[in-house]
Amino acid sequence: MSITLTHFYPLSGRMVTKQQDNPPFYGIYVDCTNDSVGAEFIHAAVDISMMDILTPVYVPRIIQSFFSLEGANCHDGHTEPLLGIQVTELLDGIFVGCSFSHVIGDGTSFWKFFNALAETNRKLRKASKEAGDQHIGCDISSLPITKRWFMEDPILINLPFSHHKEFIERYERPLLRERMFHFTEESLAKLKAKANEECGIKYTEISSFQALSAFVWRSMTRARHFTSDRKTECRLVSDNRLRMNPPISENYFGNCARTVCGSTTVGELLEHGIGWAAMLLHEAVMEYTDEKIRVSREEWMRKPYILQMGPSLDAASVMMGGSPKFDVYGCDFGLGTAVAARSGSANKFDGKVTAYRGLTGIRSVMLEICLPHESMSALESDAEFMDVVSPHEIHSEILGVNNRRDGPVLGKTKHQTALSRL
């Protein structure tokens, strides 16, 4: 881990507040000097198996104990580590949990680091067998760009506060059910074809993920039973790196993402088909250009604010986080390919959906959906939704295959995670 952190050194730092009265100034930055305490590493063990984690219908609550820094928020990085790795030995596998401060990076940055950590560990295991006790150097294949990107000369931003109590909110997570729903390449192809057929617009193509997001948005809205005049939104996370002109390197290590959304009323969403909903999302994505990103950034610089979880949540909306493009199963720590991914409790709320690459190939998708008990039960009883979802048994079937090839379980929280077979 220490070798990997030489490349991703901001994760070993601590947050520092700089404050003065005359002239008034309140700024926060990450201190990466030699005085920084570093990251956290925990080794634990538990008497449960991989089957106990992966086969229950709902994600077991014990998984939350596989993450360090549980319950921490970003401001806690003043005194707590910005990175925590917990390796939990199961009876027949390993769960690698990674807690990663969102102040340091977005989902793309998270998986860049996690894959680099796995690559370093894999190379060290191999080299140690060959070199014995000799000194082992280990480079990573994709170096991160840690220099912070600004549209003009970098400055320490003056925030409109005088004390952290003015913007710190301790979010209390509601009682939710979390369930993993799997969609095969074939089922996604059918959703995409249906969405594009309903749109019937030449020279415009709804993507598979836009079609899936529209499908999930409509399904979750039906399950919630809101009145027809209630406003509802579906938010998608957009990576700004390649949207900028000129584009920013994919290796940029930091926060370079924002949400775009489609918005309508519950009545309109359910009266129309998947194609209409998918077009709302498609238009939101296409309209999110370099110009819009720059205008949004300039507005924030004129009037800075800190995003708070509570005020931004709406029980009638859906937030699509994660991405099936992230190389989750490429996290090989030298123990075999990861067999599954699960997330911690951070950023969990009613309507949160986290997307992962699926179990049956790079074009399949796994969604972790968070809903209250009643809404989740209604979703599970929705024939239109469940007909598209793979049978739950796919989790144990895939695990059986991975057991034969000796693979791990991964964990993530943003705080994120992974499972591996012993």
Side-chain angles (χ1 to χ4, degrees):
M1 188 164 108
S2 60
I3 293 175
T4 309
L5 285 174
T6 61
H7 304 291
F8 296 85
Y9 65 87
L11 288 168
S12 62
R14 290 292 185 276
M15 294 174 64
V16 175
T17 295
K18 179 181 178 180
Q19 185 176 10
Q20 65 185 37
D21 296 328
N22 189 23
F25 184 86
Y26 192 97
I28 302 175
Y29 64 96
V30 176
D31 181 9
C32 301
T33 64
N34 293 331
D35 294 332
S36 295
V37 181
E40 180 178 70
F41 180 85
I42 296 175
H43 178 215
V46 63
D47 292 335
I48 63 173
S49 68
M50 293 171 67
M51 292 285 283
D52 295 327
I53 294 175
L54 301 182
T55 58
V57 173
Y58 305 113
V59 178
R61 294 190 178 278
I62 193 173
I63 283 182
Q64 308 309 325
S65 67
F66 297 168
F67 295 93
S68 65
L69 307 176
E70 192 66 15
N73 67 19
C74 289
H75 192 269
D76 291 335
H78 282 75
T79 55
E80 297 286 344
L82 300 177
L83 172 71
I85 301 292
Q86 179 172 324
V87 177
T88 303
E89 292 189 41
L90 311 177
L91 294 174
D92 57 352
I94 294 175
F95 190 102
V96 184
C98 178
S99 299
F100 178 109
S101 175
H102 219 326
V103 164
I104 300 299
D106 53 20
T108 297
S109 297
F110 172 88
W111 287 108
K112 288 284 187 184
F113 166 76
F114 210 2
N115 274 280
L117 178 63
E119 179 187 4
T120 303
N121 194 75
R122 183 174 67 250
K123 288 182 177 179
L124 287 175
R125 286 174 60 88
K126 180 180 179 181
S128 63
K129 294 177 182 179
E130 299 173 351
D133 295 330
Q134 300 179 30
H135 174 73
I136 300 173
C138 192
D139 296 324
I140 58 176
S141 57
S142 181
L143 290 172
I145 299 173
T146 54
K147 182 179 180 180
R148 280 295 184 257
W149 175 84
F150 287 83
M151 293 183 185
E152 63 276 321
D153 293 338
I155 59 172
L156 187 57
I157 299 168
N158 189 7
L159 299 172
F161 307 111
S162 59
H163 195 279
H164 66 265
K165 290 183 179 180
E166 297 174 25
F167 60 87
I168 293 300
E169 175 198 47
R170 293 290 174 180
Y171 172 69
E172 292 187 12
R173 173 182 156 168
L175 186 61
L176 299 171
R177 279 184 173 170
E178 304 167 33
R179 179 169 175 176
M180 311 299 293
F181 293 97
H182 186 267
F183 300 82
T184 64
E185 178 181 352
E186 293 75 18
S187 64
L188 293 175
K190 291 179 181 178
L191 287 178
K192 178 181 178 180
K194 183 178 181 181
N196 280 286
E197 181 182 0
E198 289 184 7
C199 287
I201 302 176
K202 292 183 178 180
Y203 312 116
T204 296
E205 183 178 52
I206 303 297
S207 70
S208 296
F209 192 71
Q210 289 166 4
L212 175 61
S213 299
F215 175 73
V216 170
W217 184 18
R218 295 183 73 253
S219 300
M220 291 174 65
T221 301
R222 281 198 304 271
R224 286 162 151 175
H225 304 298
F226 286 116
T227 58
S228 61
D229 60 346
R230 179 74 179 264
K231 181 182 177 181
T232 179
E233 294 180 340
C234 181
R235 293 186 169 271
L236 309 178
V237 178
S238 175
D239 185 349
N240 292 348
R241 290 168 178 79
L242 299 182
R243 290 187 175 276
M244 298 301 298
N245 184 22
I248 301 172
S249 171
E250 294 184 17
N251 291 325
Y252 174 73
F253 185 73
N255 281 293
C256 195
R258 188 162 181 174
T259 60
V260 299
C261 78
S263 179
T264 184
T265 63
V266 169
E268 284 187 315
L269 181 66
L270 299 184
E271 287 169 7
H272 294 86
I274 181 178
W276 186 85
M279 182 55 69
L280 288 179
L281 301 179
H282 177 79
E283 290 174 347
V285 171
M286 297 305 295
E287 291 171 0
Y288 190 57
T289 61
D290 172 85
E291 180 182 3
K292 183 165 285 190
I293 294 170
R294 292 177 183 275
V295 168
S296 176
R297 185 262 179 197
E298 290 168 0
E299 290 175 349
W300 187 90
M301 289 296 293
R302 285 196 297 269
K303 191 176 181 180
Y305 62 89
I306 293 179
L307 183 65
Q308 294 181 327
M309 179 80 77
S312 64
L313 301 181
D314 178 8
S317 296
V318 173
M319 172 66 188
M320 302 290 294
S323 172
K325 295 181 180 179
F326 292 151
D327 188 10
V328 176
Y329 302 110
C331 287
D332 182 356
F333 284 81
L335 305 170
T337 304
V339 300
R342 297 292 185 268
S343 63
S345 63
N347 299 335
K348 293 288 182 67
F349 50 84
D350 180 1
K352 176 64 181 295
V353 182
T354 304
Y356 299 95
R357 186 172 295 177
L359 301 172
T360 56
I362 61 174
R363 290 186 175 85
S364 62
V365 175
M366 179 83 80
L367 296 182
E368 178 190 62
I369 295 181
C370 301
L371 284 171
H373 291 198
E374 289 186 4
S375 299
M376 181 65 79
S377 296
L379 183 67
E380 294 166 333
S381 301
D382 188 327
E384 181 180 336
F385 177 76
M386 295 303 292
D387 284 347
V388 180
V389 174
S390 303
H392 182 72
E393 289 72 24
I394 192 172
H395 299 279
S396 56
E397 292 170 359
I398 294 296
L399 181 58
V401 172
N402 283 322
N403 281 351
R404 291 194 293 274
R405 75 179 184 196
D406 293 335
V409 178
L410 297 177
K412 78 165 194 102
T413 188
K414 213 120 87 271
H415 304 283
Q416 307 232 7
T417 277
L419 267 183
S420 184
R421 177 74 177 171
L422 284 175

